[in-house]
Amino acid sequence: MNASATNCCSFDSQDPRPAVARSSEPFQGDLLPSISPMVETLGLCSRTLATTPNPRMDARHTALSMPEILQEICRYLDNSALVQASRISKQFWACCTPLLWMTVPVHAWDNDYFCANWQRHGSRILVLHCAAHVNLGLISTHCQNLVSLDVSRVQGYMTTKEDQVCMSTKVSGKHSFRQNSNGDQISKTIKEPGACTYGSFLRMTEELIKVLDSNRKLRCLQMKPHGRFPTRLLSTISRMKELKILSLNAWHDFQEYSLQLIIESCSKLSHLSLGENDFTRFTLEKLCDLPAFHAHVASNNVVLDQLDYSTEGQNRAAMLDQEPSRGYSKRDVPDTLSPTLDSQTPRQSQIRSLSLHQTGLRQDFLVNITRRCPRLEHLSMLDGWGFYPSSGFAQTLSQICPELTRLEFHEQTLDLRDDFFTSLCQHFPQLKWIHAGMTGFSRGAIEAVRSHCRNIVSLNLDGARGVPSQSMDQILRTCSSLIVFSARGVVLNGRDLSHESRWSCRRLETLVLDVEIYSTMGSASGTAHSNPEQHCCEVQESVSIVRKRVYDHLAELTRLKVLGLGGGHRVGGMDSGVDLTLTSGLGRLESLHCLERLDIRRMVRTQSEEDFAWMVRNWPRFRYLEISKSRAYTRVDDKTHKAIEWLSRSRPGMTLRLH
């Protein structure tokens, strides 16, 4: 057997390939309940095919003898299974090898076998994530079929001794004395650290331009800019007609005019990412008025074409404000500021998705940048800060981006309360995605979603402590279009479930929430009862009825693929809650045949071997489990420890995550 079949994918134990590297069809869990048994079956069929006198007698053998069908089957295997399948025969090796080299993750560059053989398989690489030490010159020579390229970790090139000294010291503006190989002391004038970094960034972009020229069908580019965006790189990107996704996260020394150039010149972009930045000092007031911005730049004597020194690429807006008469360019401003822009008629942007993850910004910045994206459909602001919208923000945004259907403000700020989300729902009744976890989303916003957003598909309320239990039940009873509902950390009291009606969201595929059954008011207040034994039976019967009702509601969600449950505390210390055990009523969930992922790490009660055996037997697609360890997990006789050990042996294709 060829040795490359054994080692060609040992550098990638995970499966980071995006949809472009896989089959366009979704994963069919009923066809492949477990990867390893299928690989064994394929190997058995292949060996039988070699010894069968007349393979045409068996339709299964005839199908496996066709490379097209075999390669289509292999597209559904993960990388570890592909390595196993590639060892079966030469035919399997020929089908699996292109899939193994299709995606290169970052950690692959730490593997000796990969570094020694990637140039030979460069034409098969479609998705490439570069490490910090990658030589982009070799990438441009050997990889010419790239679809996605990530160079955000490439630190740039230092070609001169002066740059090396600059990066090796933290002293700026003074003389540094170092010893050369002969022991003599030499004096070097150290530039500012930002200047050297921008110079290395410019040299890296020169190599990146060669990579882009050799991959004209590139669809996704991720990079980390520094200072002014080079004109040559901008011109190269503008000529790439297939480029749809551009990620400019962690833009050091952000330049407003460079962003204007990118939006105007790259008219084919559909997704722009500007995450991990601090834009609180910027408003982009002149971003929408291109002639006025040109006049502002010209009045400050700023050259925007190829500059002489790397120091001139830094953001000197503060310097110009303090010293208006001082310019940092040594030449006059040309009449045409950029060959890629028309100073009078800006191009219509096609950006439909804008990502501002982990970004600090003001309302003016967001309004002005969305003005340049009138066809925006998706706005994501996850884990940001500094955004405090006014009462008229939603109305202004609806006039700027009338096609907006997806809004994500997860972990933005707790100051985003009901009035803000209510205004959004009133002005955007077409919203399908609302992610408002870790915000002030509460009862009033829930009512606005039910009243205005009739076509809501995904609602995320993780950590929204102000959502009452009754509102959770109402949203599940009335929003029939829901497919994803996540409310991690938000408690649904089983006693609040309606007796007459059921949840109408029968299309639900993802459900995450905490379920508790609280004690009755009498027992909670501590009032005495005439017959304590009779009172205990009444409470126990009441809890069992409520628990049965919760399980019945869950059992009707037959399309459920992802289920995450928390809570499960005992009620009054006597009876267990909804803890997904056979003793509490797990057998009622037999109808969840589509369930693939189960997350019970926030659940109090630990499951036994019998509980997991029931899940494996009744949920054929079940292949991913997240569970928390008990305090006695290190003991061999612990119930959870035994159950996990049994599950790993009986279901080798399952992914287990212990917390």
Side-chain angles (χ1 to χ4, degrees):
M1 188 60 214
N2 196 326
S4 59
T6 304
N7 299 324
C8 58
C9 195
S10 59
F11 56 86
D12 187 13
S13 59
Q14 302 178 358
D15 186 18
R17 288 177 292 173
V20 68
R22 285 185 170 270
S23 173
S24 57
E25 298 295 330
F27 181 82
Q28 303 294 330
D30 53 341
L31 298 178
L32 299 176
S34 181
I35 296 298
S36 298
M38 180 178 180
V39 174
E40 297 175 1
T41 304
L42 292 176
L44 178 61
C45 295
S46 177
R47 290 189 292 270
T48 307
L49 177 61
T51 58
T52 303
N54 188 5
R56 297 182 180 179
M57 299 296 294
D58 195 338
R60 177 179 60 181
H61 296 161
T62 305
L64 290 179
S65 63
M66 298 180 182
E68 295 81 5
I69 297 180
L70 184 58
Q71 189 171 15
E72 185 66 22
I73 295 175
C74 292
R75 285 181 180 271
Y76 291 94
L77 302 179
D78 59 10
N79 286 350
S80 59
L82 284 173
V83 173
Q84 300 178 27
S86 63
R87 302 169 182 171
I88 296 176
S89 65
K90 293 183 179 180
Q91 183 182 10
F92 275 80
W93 181 85
C95 294
C96 295
T97 301
L99 298 176
L100 290 170
W101 287 92
M102 193 172 291
T103 298
V104 177
V106 178
H107 58 81
W109 298 95
D110 298 330
N111 184 272
D112 295 335
Y113 175 83
F114 170 80
C115 294
N117 295 273
W118 75 268
Q119 299 179 21
R120 184 159 53 93
H121 300 273
S123 59
R124 296 172 174 172
I125 300 177
L126 298 181
V127 180
L128 178 62
H129 299 268
C130 297
H133 60 275
V134 171
N135 189 341
L136 295 181
L138 295 177
I139 299 295
S140 61
T141 304
H142 300 282
C143 302
Q144 300 183 356
N145 296 318
L146 294 178
V147 177
S148 177
L149 177 62
D150 181 7
V151 295
S152 59
R153 297 174 181 84
V154 179
Q155 298 178 354
Y157 299 155
M158 294 177 293
T159 58
T160 63
K161 188 174 183 179
E162 182 178 356
D163 291 334
Q164 296 176 2
V165 174
C166 180
M167 294 299 295
S168 62
T169 183
K170 296 183 179 179
V171 182
S172 61
K174 296 182 180 181
H175 294 277
S176 175
F177 296 92
R178 292 182 175 272
Q179 292 186 353
N180 57 12
S181 59
N182 298 327
D184 300 331
Q185 288 189 348
I186 56 176
S187 176
K188 292 287 184 180
T189 301
I190 307 302
K191 297 182 180 180
E192 297 179 4
C196 180
T197 305
Y198 182 73
S200 61
F201 170 72
L202 287 181
R203 286 186 288 273
M204 187 272 291
T205 56
E206 293 297 327
E207 299 295 334
L208 178 60
I209 291 174
K210 299 177 183 179
V211 177
L212 299 179
D213 288 336
S214 58
N215 294 273
R216 307 305 301 180
K217 295 184 179 181
L218 195 70
R219 300 178 185 176
C220 176
L221 175 61
Q222 302 179 50
M223 61 179 302
K224 185 183 296 184
H226 186 285
R228 179 187 54 82
F229 211 79
T231 306
R232 287 192 57 198
L233 178 59
L234 180 63
S235 178
T236 302
I237 294 178
S238 64
R239 294 195 301 267
M240 303 185 67
K241 304 303 180 182
E242 301 292 332
L243 188 64
K244 301 297 182 181
I245 301 175
L246 181 61
S247 176
L248 304 176
N249 295 334
W251 189 333
H252 180 71
D253 197 8
F254 172 72
Q255 300 285 304
E256 292 188 26
Y257 192 74
S258 294
L259 179 60
Q260 172 76 17
L261 294 176
I262 293 171
I263 295 177
E264 291 295 334
S265 60
C266 304
S267 58
K268 300 296 183 180
L269 284 180
S270 60
H271 174 80
L272 177 62
S273 179
L274 297 172
E276 304 177 26
N277 289 292
D278 185 4
F279 297 137
T280 54
R281 298 182 294 110
F282 302 94
T283 59
L284 303 182
E285 294 179 355
K286 296 169 182 165
L287 188 63
C288 303
D289 190 359
L290 190 59
F293 196 87
H294 284 172
H296 169 74
V297 173
S299 63
N300 287 280
N301 196 26
V302 178
V303 173
L304 298 173
D305 58 350
Q306 188 66 34
L307 300 177
D308 291 337
Y309 298 105
S310 58
T311 55
E312 299 178 14
Q314 299 182 27
N315 190 346
R316 301 299 181 89
M319 179 190 301
L320 294 175
D321 292 340
Q322 296 176 3
E323 302 176 14
S325 62
R326 177 181 177 183
Y328 57 91
S329 175
K330 297 161 46 175
R331 296 168 293 181
D332 296 332
V333 178
D335 296 335
T336 303
L337 294 177
S338 176
T340 61
L341 285 178
D342 184 355
S343 60
Q344 300 299 328
T345 57
R347 299 180 184 179
Q348 183 73 15
S349 173
Q350 302 295 324
I351 297 177
R352 296 183 177 272
S353 177
L354 179 61
S355 176
L356 298 168
H357 297 180
Q358 300 180 10
T359 298
L361 52 84
R362 305 293 185 186
Q363 175 178 309
D364 295 340
F365 181 95
L366 184 60
V367 170
N368 290 327
I369 194 173
T370 51
R371 289 185 188 277
R372 302 299 306 128
C373 309
R375 304 188 64 181
L376 197 65
E377 298 178 358
H378 177 206
L379 176 61
S380 180
M381 299 172 57
L382 304 183
D383 196 14
W385 70 93
F387 177 64
Y388 302 100
S390 62
S391 57
F393 170 77
Q395 181 179 0
T396 303
L397 188 62
S398 63
Q399 298 173 356
I400 298 173
C401 305
E403 302 179 11
L404 207 58
T405 58
R406 297 175 58 180
L407 285 174
E408 299 183 31
F409 292 97
H410 192 273
E411 295 188 23
Q412 179 64 33
T413 176
L414 293 178
D415 293 329
L416 300 182
R417 299 189 179 276
D418 278 357
D419 53 352
F420 171 74
F421 291 106
T422 301
S423 179
L424 284 178
C425 294
Q426 293 174 353
H427 291 89
F428 293 97
Q430 74 277 11
L431 281 179
K432 296 182 178 180
W433 285 58
I434 300 178
H435 288 191
M438 300 297 292
T439 62
F441 198 98
S442 59
R443 185 193 301 271
I446 287 284
E447 295 297 328
V449 171
R450 294 178 53 219
S451 303
H452 302 284
C453 303
R454 300 290 184 177
N455 298 322
I456 188 71
V457 173
S458 177
L459 182 61
N460 186 301
L461 305 177
D462 292 344
R465 302 293 183 179
V467 178
S469 175
Q470 297 86 350
S471 298
M472 298 260 294
D473 178 50
Q474 292 175 1
I475 202 73
L476 293 172
R477 283 193 292 110
T478 57
C479 297
S480 58
S481 59
L482 265 180
I483 297 179
V484 177
F485 181 72
S486 180
R488 182 179 288 107
V490 182
V491 177
L492 171 65
N493 186 6
R495 301 184 185 276
D496 294 330
L497 295 182
S498 176
H499 295 270
E500 298 80 8
S501 61
R502 297 297 186 189
W503 291 340
S504 63
C505 50
R506 301 300 175 85
R507 299 169 53 193
L508 201 66
E509 297 181 0
T510 300
L511 177 63
V512 181
L513 74 166
D514 293 359
V515 180
E516 297 284 5
I517 301 177
Y518 295 134
S519 301
T520 57
M521 295 300 295
S523 61
S525 59
T527 57
H529 198 276
S530 59
N531 190 346
E533 295 183 358
Q534 181 181 0
H535 172 67
C536 180
C537 295
E538 292 176 357
V539 173
Q540 185 175 2
E541 182 183 5
S542 177
V543 171
S544 61
I545 293 176
V546 173
R547 189 172 58 229
K548 175 180 176 295
R549 186 162 62 248
V550 174
Y551 278 118
D552 290 341
H553 278 71
L554 294 176
E556 294 180 352
L557 306 177
T558 56
R559 297 187 181 182
L560 208 61
K561 296 181 180 180
V562 180
L563 177 61
L565 290 181
H569 291 82
R570 289 183 174 272
V571 183
M574 295 177 293
D575 202 353
S576 60
V578 183
D579 53 7
L580 288 187
T581 58
L582 290 174
T583 56
S584 66
L586 176 62
R588 296 183 176 275
L589 302 183
E590 187 179 359
S591 59
L592 304 183
H593 298 292
C594 299
L595 192 65
E596 300 176 2
R597 302 168 65 100
L598 181 63
D599 182 3
I600 52 177
R601 54 182 167 173
R602 303 181 320 279
M603 190 165 288
V604 177
R605 183 71 177 271
T606 58
Q607 281 66 34
S608 63
E609 182 177 328
E610 292 76 14
D611 300 329
F612 287 139
W614 184 94
M615 295 177 186
V616 172
R617 185 170 58 254
N618 293 274
W619 298 339
R621 302 187 183 185
F622 183 40
R623 56 185 176 87
Y624 186 93
L625 174 65
E626 290 193 48
I627 189 172
S628 59
K629 299 179 182 179
S630 62
R631 295 182 178 180
Y633 182 79
T634 55
R635 295 169 48 186
V636 181
D637 58 343
D638 178 61
K639 182 174 63 174
T640 304
H641 185 277
K642 290 182 178 180
I644 294 297
E645 291 293 333
W646 176 87
L647 189 60
S648 61
R649 291 194 307 267
S650 61
R651 204 66 182 267
M654 176 172 289
T655 302
L656 300 175
R657 293 190 60 183
L658 300 179
H659 297 271

